[in-house]
Amino acid sequence: ERIHAVPNLDGVAICASTCWSIMSHLEDSQTGSIDHLTEDDEDWDEDRDAHDALEATDLLESDMGESTRSGQIEELVDPDALAVSTDAFDELILAARECETIKAAWAKFVDNCRSKEAAGEAIYAALFESAPSLQSLFKTPRAVMAMKFMVGLGSIVSKLHDPEGLKTMVDALGFQHLDIDVTVPRVEIFRDAIVDLLAADLGDVLFTTEARNSFSRVLNYVGGAFIYIRMNYSSRLKLLSSSWSLANKCHSDEEHNNEGASGSADSDPKEEVKDTNAGKISGTHANKSLVNSWRGNKATAEETSQEISMEEGMSSRKGGRSGFSSNRVPTTFAEMFRFNAAVMGYGSNLWMAEVLESFDAIVTNAANSYRLQEECDVLSLSLAKTSCKIELLEFKAVMLASLRSLLPKTWNSDCEVAWTWLWENVERMLKANWGKPAVHQKALRRLYMSLDERQLACFRTGIYTTFFIKCSQGQDYFKQSTTRLHFIADRMVAMTQDLYKDPKALMVELSALGLRHVGYGIPTELFGPFVTSCIEAIGALTNDDAQLDAFRWSLGLISRVLVRTINEGATIVMRAINANCGKMLRHAVSCAPRGQRAEWMMKVQVGTQSISPLLWSIQSGSLEAARAIIADLLTVRADRDNYYYAMDALFNRHPDIVARICQDGPALLPALLDGLIWRSRLSENGVRRVNYYIKYLIVGAKGDFSKSFEDLVTHADPTAICHPAVVLAADIIWTKVAARGFITGKLWFLLNLLVFVITQSVLADYSASTDGTSRLGTFVGRIFIYVFGLGQMVLSHMWRLISAFRNRDVKTLCCIPVPTYLLGASDAGSAMLCIALALMLSNEPILHCAGEVPQIRGPYASLGQDCSRAEDIISRYTTLSLVATLLYFLMLLELTVFSTRLSTFVLVCGRMVQEVAQFLAALAFLVLTFSCGISSLDVTNENFLTIGDAALNLVRIQLGMYSGDEYRELEAEPRLQATVSIFVICTSVFLLNLLIAQINCAYIGIFKDMVGYARLNLGNVICDIAPFVPSARWDAFVKGLRLGEKLEFNEGDIGLAGGIQILEPASQHPMAADSIRRYGGSTSPDSQWPEHANEIDQEDKFDRLEKTINKAVKKMMKSSKSKGRGSTMGSAMGSSFSGSGSASTGSHSSSAGSGHSAD
């Protein structure tokens, strides 16, 4: 029975003593609970003081009477137990009896719940049912968070007998709760929820007033300590942040000085990084380089884990080349740490490199408990991969020595205390997971190996069934097929295993996955129920607590990484992209500082991974948002001090931006290319200035030929290639670099053509009258053709064929693999010419006549081709010579690239060949049809006796080669004449006129794009030549363009670099407004661009116009309705008047009524 409160402390002690006696007796008699007290139980108090026993018995009897009469019971609560002390953080000293009481009550509570998981769920439910608002403070899934509650409270209870250990543990917990707003009311809510839960579960006999007071006192101590730590340790966090940035500041300042101290008006303000950010970035890169060099030096060490992947090992060995130089003075923490580690004899400790790699993230996130715990968990997984002995105190010694060396002026006792405090807390977090990764990995391996296909299918299905019950809105986001959902479940299971095999690689993969979910717009609130559903689904398949703990811990860490990544990456820009709204995006970036505006649209950094909002909008199909981003980036803005133009930032961040746009959003190309052109609003002497910022269409990021230009040519869009910016870039490269290389390359071809024509057409004479000089010239010319012309072609094509088949760069045509390069007209013609020359060589008469006695006498008679064996092959040889000559001259058409008009004409002719080919195919079909039909007639005309003769003569008729006499012979056979007449009508009248119509329509259709195709032809030639220009010539060409010099916008207005200025006629592109947006006010890069009066969005104008029209229409409708009602009443009145009148005046009344109705 419950005990009434007594007004004096002695009564409190007596009641507590009596309750303790009852619990002792219950333990001795092994009875689980007691319903009420009876007078037979007075012998329990025989060993106690008589006075205390008597008063306790009287009190219990009176209380029993009170309880029986009223049925209402009050609690005995110590007022001191309800006080939350935040003024000090001392050790909590409890009496031994209090400790035992709390431990017994806690053990009984866990036993009643039958499992730790159920106990944690009960605590979680009790807490958030009493105060639902507290749920927003905890970001971990319910199943994981409930287990954390259970483990934390269990650890506190286990340390009650050790005040010093309890304080250390509470200090560590408080360190992990630094970023949570712990207040006294929240502590009281948490305390009351836990105490009420225990009281309800255990009853008042087992959970006595003493236990309640003691438990409340412990929870108040913990909550007060959290508040105290948060209030008093913030100065330590500030000291850690400032000293860490100073420790890495020297390196960043040194790099900045090496880049040059001179500033420019158009320098990108985002390059001006704050000291803290610079320290963070430089520290991170230095740590990574140190880890690579450390691993490289120890690549053969036995401590390397056998489960490290081959790729990691190879990268480690490659990284080992950049070792630390003893000649260089250490300027960063990473360099100083390695130097001191080597001096102190710890240079062979590979595990220190693992800690050092994560140390920057640990320090910078010291105030973020969730992120700090995540970093320590991942680090513990990495440390578990090393088999060497780990002594964390050694890292602490090297760390403090390095910081003292880097901060000799600012280092003091406060710094020593702060860094020691940080490392002690990190050490406690690491040791909390000591040995657990290996145990978890084995447990998960046993779990997954024990599951069969049926159980796995149940697991996959159970996840989503439970999840959709817990969170019905999740069905709106899981729109994929069931097989895809099962794949996600299998991938999740694989991740829990990969977490232990290669934790770093999985962290990179999870960061990328989380950033993709940012683009998908997935709410992070869904992760908690999903993880809980997974844990419940796996819990239904196993009874092993170790396996369930391993799965819970692994999946909890994975979910924390994903949630953090999404929260850090979910910017207002990404939300606008998900909505695919250009207006929202413009409003989003208007909040950005002018110095970081471009970075907001091109980079969202989360840990070591980053996502580009621009690329994501292009890939996800949000083209309206992408167009708004490109337009904003390539808009020139200016204040009094700086010009802001993000062309450099765009192409440096995304060197393949043109390729990405061509592949996923070709409609964005005009917006990108238009943004590279600035035209002046002012004109002078009929011309205006135009700045073409085409630096990255000419020069790549490394100073070589631009890959963006190649991407434009590969895209093969005749409209985009004719854009003024692309045309100017192509003309500059062609006239200054490529044309010379093209002519040089074609000189050898022209020489081969000249020698071939002279040898085969001028000097060739296959009769016996050839003189010696001609025979000698023919022999020398053919030697030149076969050795230098054919030999070069054979070597070139053999090399390209081998490379194509080796790289599998082939396409199958009619079941025959054909290298892709042979699909081009130029390369195909070269290959055909090579084959023709090879056949000519095999049928060369001079070779066949070698060793034969010449039939003529004279100089160089042995070089002749008039022997008996040559007579049979002369005809084949000359035919091949004809084919080779035609191919030579067809390849000569490549020289038309020097003239766009000639190139356009040649391309038009090439496109018309398709129409002619169709005509010839139809003509061949008709010739075959009529020749077979005529041959079936019993004709006597010798020209049509066989199918071949008939086909030949029909072709002669079509080509107009049939004579009049032959036509008269057809009159002798009317059937033959009629058949031939029908053939002539079908071919000459129908097919020929149809060919003319087709060519006319095709010409009209393709002529508008012919200039573009000619430009594409020129672009292909440039892309073939420019990459192979000697570096000296290319560097001189780039230097001559002077792209690094700033161009004037208007007279005296020095603007931006990276472009070329030309003058164009003022009437060509009239400009009514200045395309540069100029602003007054502050010029600080940290301030936003002010709202401008003339920058009202056109969409807002249309919205206001639409609203105005809608209001006007509504008013008109209301007025028309009111008039309609009035006219209806008037009509009714007129009708009544007309109806009451006499028949003689009815027409008059009716007209009057009508007039009133009209009014």
Side-chain angles (χ1 to χ4, degrees):
E1 297 291 331
R2 296 197 176 186
I3 302 174
H4 287 279
V6 293
N8 54 64
L9 295 180
D10 293 335
V12 174
I14 295 171
C15 295
S17 175
T18 304
C19 293
W20 178 253
S21 302
I22 293 173
M23 292 185 63
S24 301
H25 178 76
L26 290 177
E27 292 177 358
D28 295 338
S29 60
Q30 297 182 354
T31 58
S33 60
I34 178 172
D35 296 330
H36 58 277
L37 299 178
T38 63
E39 296 178 356
D40 297 334
D41 294 325
E42 292 180 1
D43 56 334
W44 294 347
D45 299 329
E46 291 178 355
D47 296 334
R48 299 203 175 267
D49 184 82
H51 177 73
D52 292 344
L54 180 59
E55 291 188 3
T57 304
D58 294 339
L59 182 59
L60 285 173
E61 290 178 352
S62 62
D63 288 339
M64 290 172 61
E66 292 281 340
S67 176
T68 303
R69 289 189 299 270
S70 63
Q72 300 295 328
I73 304 171
E74 298 179 0
E75 296 181 355
L76 177 64
V77 180
D78 184 2
D80 294 337
L82 297 179
V84 179
S85 175
T86 61
D87 298 332
F89 179 31
D90 300 324
E91 295 180 359
L92 176 64
I93 301 176
L94 298 174
R97 189 174 61 185
E98 291 180 301
C99 296
E100 296 299 330
T101 301
I102 295 175
K103 288 182 180 181
W106 180 255
K108 188 61 179 176
F109 168 73
V110 176
D111 184 62
N112 288 347
C113 292
R114 298 186 181 277
S115 68
K116 293 182 179 180
E117 292 79 10
E121 284 289 340
I123 295 174
Y124 190 96
L127 175 62
F128 294 128
E129 285 176 5
S130 62
S133 60
L134 294 183
Q135 195 166 1
S136 61
L137 299 177
F138 301 97
K139 308 170 186 178
T140 310
R142 175 167 182 158
V144 179
M145 196 69 228
M147 200 62 191
K148 283 190 173 183
F149 283 151
M150 190 64 193
V151 172
L153 291 174
S155 301
I156 292 173
V157 171
S158 64
K159 290 287 185 179
L160 292 178
H161 64 282
D162 183 9
E164 183 179 356
L166 178 63
K167 181 182 178 182
T168 303
M169 177 178 293
V170 172
D171 187 15
L173 292 175
F175 179 78
Q176 298 176 23
H177 290 74
L178 283 174
D179 60 332
I180 298 178
D181 188 14
V182 182
T183 60
V184 173
R186 289 176 174 173
V187 172
E188 292 175 349
I189 293 173
F190 187 89
R191 176 201 64 202
D192 294 342
I194 300 298
V195 171
D196 291 343
L197 173 64
L198 294 176
D201 186 82
L202 300 178
D204 297 307
V205 175
L206 296 180
F207 193 67
T208 62
T209 304
E210 181 182 13
R212 185 185 188 94
N213 291 337
S214 301
F215 224 108
S216 299
R217 184 180 175 189
V218 172
L219 294 177
N220 286 342
Y221 171 75
V222 175
F226 286 2
I227 299 174
Y228 178 86
I229 291 172
R230 192 170 186 270
M231 293 173 56
N232 295 276
Y233 287 5
S234 58
S235 58
R236 293 186 181 181
L237 296 175
K238 294 179 181 179
L239 185 58
L240 290 172
S241 177
S242 60
S243 58
W244 182 249
S245 61
L246 288 175
N248 293 280
K249 182 180 178 181
C250 301
H251 181 64
S252 58
D253 289 346
E254 182 178 326
E255 288 184 350
H256 181 71
N257 294 333
N258 292 337
E259 292 176 0
S262 59
S264 59
D266 62 327
S267 61
D268 194 350
K270 71 183 181 67
E271 300 292 338
E272 301 175 7
V273 185
K274 295 182 180 180
D275 292 343
T276 56
N277 295 334
K280 177 179 177 180
I281 295 172
S282 61
T284 302
H285 290 297
N287 289 351
K288 290 182 178 179
S289 62
L290 172 61
V291 171
N292 290 335
S293 62
W294 203 321
R295 287 177 177 170
N297 294 335
K298 300 298 177 183
T300 59
E302 296 180 357
E303 292 83 358
T304 304
S305 175
Q306 296 179 356
E307 297 187 19
I308 295 179
S309 63
M310 184 177 296
E311 290 80 1
E312 184 180 349
M314 293 178 63
S315 63
S316 300
R317 288 190 291 272
K318 292 179 181 179
R321 296 181 181 179
S322 58
F324 178 79
S325 175
S326 58
N327 296 328
R328 180 180 176 183
V329 178
T331 56
T332 64
F333 175 80
E335 294 175 353
M336 185 62 73
F337 185 93
R338 185 185 175 203
F339 177 81
N340 286 330
V343 172
M344 299 170 68
Y346 303 138
S348 61
N349 291 346
L350 187 62
W351 64 269
M352 284 190 175
E354 300 287 348
V355 181
L356 184 60
E357 186 176 4
S358 304
F359 195 66
D360 178 73
I362 290 174
V363 176
T364 53
N365 295 284
N368 187 343
S369 61
Y370 282 94
R371 180 65 187 280
L372 182 62
Q373 184 65 54
E374 175 191 320
E375 292 293 338
C376 291
D377 289 343
V378 176
L379 178 56
S380 64
L381 292 172
S382 300
L383 293 178
K385 306 297 292 182
T386 60
S387 58
C388 58
K389 184 179 180 180
I390 299 176
E391 292 290 345
L392 296 178
L393 290 177
E394 296 176 356
F395 187 93
K396 174 184 176 182
V398 180
M399 173 196 70
L400 294 176
S402 303
L403 290 172
R404 294 189 197 102
S405 302
L406 291 170
L407 306 172
K409 298 181 179 179
T410 60
W411 189 264
N412 52 30
S413 59
D414 294 335
C415 294
E416 191 87 17
V417 172
W419 283 97
T420 302
W421 170 73
L422 171 66
W423 181 250
E424 288 176 351
N425 284 280
V426 171
E427 185 176 353
R428 279 193 290 267
M429 293 182 184
L430 293 176
K431 288 185 176 180
N433 293 325
W434 226 245
K436 290 183 179 180
V439 176
H440 288 340
Q441 186 177 12
K442 294 178 181 178
L444 289 177
R445 188 182 297 115
R446 291 196 308 270
L447 171 63
Y448 298 144
M449 291 179 65
S450 65
L451 301 178
D452 54 21
E453 287 299 327
R454 183 186 61 81
Q455 290 176 315
L456 286 175
C458 294
F459 169 69
R460 301 185 191 104
T461 306
I463 290 176
Y464 298 103
T465 302
T466 308
F467 174 64
F468 293 149
I469 294 175
K470 290 179 176 293
C471 186
S472 59
Q473 64 173 342
Q475 301 180 60
D476 299 332
Y477 294 92
F478 285 91
K479 305 174 183 179
Q480 299 88 349
S481 63
T482 303
T483 55
R484 174 65 180 174
L485 297 182
H486 289 177
F487 169 79
I488 294 174
D490 292 340
R491 188 70 192 97
M492 177 190 63
V493 170
M495 283 182 177
T496 58
Q497 294 176 302
D498 297 340
L499 183 65
Y500 300 97
K501 295 179 181 178
D502 194 349
K504 294 180 183 178
L506 183 62
M507 290 302 111
V508 173
E509 181 180 351
L510 288 176
S511 297
L513 180 62
L515 289 175
R516 286 200 300 271
H517 280 72
V518 171
Y520 301 148
I522 304 296
T524 56
E525 292 79 8
L526 299 180
F527 281 85
F530 185 79
V531 171
T532 303
S533 303
C534 295
I535 296 174
E536 292 180 2
I538 206 70
L541 301 176
T542 179
N543 295 323
D544 191 338
D545 292 339
Q547 296 176 357
L548 191 58
D549 289 341
F551 185 81
R552 180 188 296 108
W553 189 88
S554 305
L555 196 57
L557 178 58
I558 292 173
S559 66
R560 278 185 285 152
V561 175
L562 288 175
V563 170
R564 173 184 58 81
T565 304
I566 294 174
N567 288 333
E568 293 179 4
T571 63
I572 55 177
V573 175
M574 293 299 295
R575 297 192 188 99
I577 291 173
N578 292 334
N580 192 21
C581 180
K583 181 179 178 181
M584 286 180 59
L585 191 136
R586 286 187 287 272
H587 286 309
V589 298
S590 64
C591 304
R594 62 186 66 179
Q596 300 177 10
R597 189 182 182 104
E599 188 173 1
W600 276 36
M601 293 179 282
M602 290 190 294
K603 187 175 182 180
V604 176
Q605 183 75 34
V606 179
T608 59
Q609 296 296 306
S610 63
I611 188 175
S612 171
L614 173 58
L615 289 188
W616 179 260
S617 62
I618 296 173
Q619 294 172 355
S620 61
S622 302
L623 298 186
E624 287 298 323
R627 184 177 288 107
I629 291 176
I630 293 175
D632 193 277
L633 290 173
L634 298 181
T635 298
V636 182
R637 295 178 175 85
D639 51 31
R640 294 185 302 274
D641 294 340
N642 299 315
Y643 279 102
Y644 294 84
Y645 182 56
M647 179 194 68
D648 289 330
L650 174 61
F651 282 93
N652 288 331
R653 168 67 173 158
H654 305 302
D656 59 341
I657 183 63
V658 174
R660 295 292 186 93
I661 290 178
C662 292
Q663 181 179 357
D664 299 322
L668 301 175
L669 268 180
L672 175 67
L673 297 176
D674 289 342
L676 303 179
I677 302 176
W678 171 86
R679 289 185 172 89
S680 174
R681 182 174 60 88
L682 306 177
S683 61
E684 299 178 4
N685 300 324
V687 296
R688 73 173 74 250
R689 299 171 188 252
V690 183
N691 293 351
Y692 288 85
Y693 293 97
I694 55 175
K695 171 183 177 181
Y696 294 99
L697 294 181
I698 299 176
V699 186
K702 298 180 180 179
D704 53 354
F705 178 62
S706 173
K707 186 67 170 58
S708 299
F709 188 87
E710 291 185 13
D711 295 331
L712 284 171
V713 174
T714 305
H715 182 52
D717 184 0
T719 303
I721 205 69
C722 289
H723 192 276
V726 183
V727 169
L728 180 62
D731 290 343
I732 290 175
I733 299 174
W734 173 252
T735 55
K736 295 183 178 297
V737 177
R740 178 179 172 183
F742 180 75
I743 287 294
T744 303
K746 290 301 178 182
L747 285 177
W748 181 253
F749 171 78
L750 293 174
L751 178 61
N752 277 273
L753 174 61
L754 180 62
V755 172
F756 186 86
V757 170
I758 293 175
T759 303
Q760 302 299 124
S761 302
V762 178
L763 299 179
D765 189 357
Y766 302 98
S767 63
S769 60
T770 306
D771 58 1
T773 305
S774 298
R775 285 196 290 270
L776 178 61
T778 301
F779 177 76
V780 174
R782 291 181 180 177
I783 290 293
F784 181 85
I785 292 171
Y786 297 139
V787 174
F788 298 102
L790 177 60
Q792 181 188 18
M793 290 183 184
V794 169
L795 292 176
S796 174
H797 283 286
M798 286 296 294
W799 174 258
R800 298 182 71 177
L801 283 172
I802 293 173
S803 299
F805 282 104
R806 181 181 298 170
N807 299 327
R808 297 184 179 180
D809 187 16
V810 296
K811 290 187 177 181
T812 303
L813 299 178
C814 299
C815 301
I816 301 175
V818 179
T820 306
Y821 84 93
L822 289 179
L823 300 179
S826 177
D827 292 321
S830 176
M832 294 172 63
L833 179 59
C834 180
I835 294 173
L837 292 177
L839 293 175
M840 286 178 60
L841 177 61
S842 64
N843 293 276
E844 176 59 49
I846 296 177
L847 294 179
H848 285 273
C849 291
E852 295 287 331
V853 178
Q855 297 178 0
I856 60 174
R857 301 290 179 181
Y860 307 108
S862 59
L863 301 179
Q865 41 195 351
D866 51 358
C867 63
S868 58
R869 287 198 296 180
E871 294 177 358
D872 299 332
I873 62 174
I874 287 295
S875 60
R876 294 200 303 269
Y877 181 79
T878 54
T879 303
L880 293 172
S881 178
L882 170 64
V883 173
T885 303
L886 295 179
L887 291 174
Y888 262 117
F889 278 92
L890 283 176
M891 293 182 63
L892 193 62
L893 293 177
E894 293 181 4
L895 296 177
T896 57
V897 296
F898 284 98
S899 173
T900 304
R901 302 186 66 178
L902 281 178
S903 181
T904 302
F905 176 75
V906 171
L907 290 173
V908 170
C909 294
R911 295 302 178 95
M912 295 301 103
V913 168
Q914 299 177 3
E915 308 299 331
V916 176
Q918 296 176 5
F919 167 78
L920 293 177
L923 179 61
F925 175 77
L926 291 176
V927 168
L928 179 63
T929 301
F930 280 91
S931 61
C932 292
I934 292 173
S935 299
S936 64
L937 296 174
D938 54 340
V939 296
T940 59
N941 193 320
E942 297 179 353
N943 294 333
F944 296 93
L945 291 177
T946 63
I947 295 177
D949 294 338
L952 178 61
N953 284 278
L954 289 177
V955 172
R956 290 178 60 205
I957 292 172
Q958 176 62 30
L959 296 178
M961 300 171 62
Y962 220 56
S963 64
D965 295 336
E966 290 173 320
Y967 274 115
R968 281 190 290 272
E969 292 177 2
L970 296 177
E971 297 176 358
E973 299 181 71
R975 292 181 300 171
L976 177 61
Q977 185 181 16
T979 305
V980 171
S981 299
I982 295 174
F983 172 77
V984 172
I985 292 173
C986 291
T987 56
S988 299
V989 177
F990 178 72
L991 281 184
L992 191 59
N993 286 281
L994 181 62
L995 173 64
I996 295 172
Q998 282 183 320
I999 290 178
N1000 186 33
C1001 294
Y1003 181 81
I1004 293 174
I1006 66 176
F1007 178 75
K1008 63 179 185 298
D1009 292 331
M1010 276 301 100
V1011 176
Y1013 286 113
R1015 281 282 173 185
L1016 283 173
N1017 189 27
L1018 177 62
N1020 284 317
V1021 174
I1022 292 174
C1023 292
D1024 290 339
I1025 295 173
F1028 301 100
V1029 173
S1031 58
R1033 276 191 59 210
W1034 181 260
D1035 293 342
F1037 159 69
V1038 174
K1039 185 177 180 181
L1041 294 177
R1042 296 184 294 181
L1043 296 174
E1045 296 183 5
K1046 298 174 185 175
L1047 303 179
E1048 279 189 338
F1049 285 125
N1050 289 309
E1051 187 175 2
D1053 185 5
I1054 306 300
L1056 300 163
I1060 296 173
Q1061 188 175 95
I1062 64 172
L1063 300 176
E1064 69 176 18
S1067 59
Q1068 187 172 350
H1069 296 91
M1071 299 292 295
D1074 190 0
S1075 59
I1076 301 177
R1077 298 185 181 181
R1078 301 182 182 274
Y1079 301 86
S1082 173
T1083 62
S1084 172
D1086 296 329
S1087 61
Q1088 303 173 1
W1089 290 113
E1091 295 292 336
H1092 205 281
N1094 59 4
E1095 287 183 8
I1096 300 176
D1097 197 347
Q1098 294 296 328
E1099 296 179 4
D1100 293 338
K1101 291 182 179 179
F1102 286 116
D1103 290 342
R1104 289 195 298 273
L1105 179 61
E1106 183 179 2
K1107 291 179 181 178
T1108 304
I1109 294 175
N1110 289 336
K1111 289 180 180 179
V1113 170
K1114 290 180 180 179
K1115 289 182 179 179
M1116 294 172 62
M1117 292 178 65
K1118 289 181 179 178
S1119 61
S1120 63
K1121 288 181 179 179
S1122 61
K1123 289 182 180 180
R1125 287 193 297 269
S1127 63
T1128 303
M1129 294 174 62
S1131 299
M1133 292 174 65
S1135 299
S1136 63
F1137 282 129
S1138 61
S1140 63
S1142 62
S1144 60
T1145 61
S1147 61
H1148 177 73
S1149 300
S1150 176
S1151 63
S1154 301
H1156 183 77
S1157 176
D1159 292 340

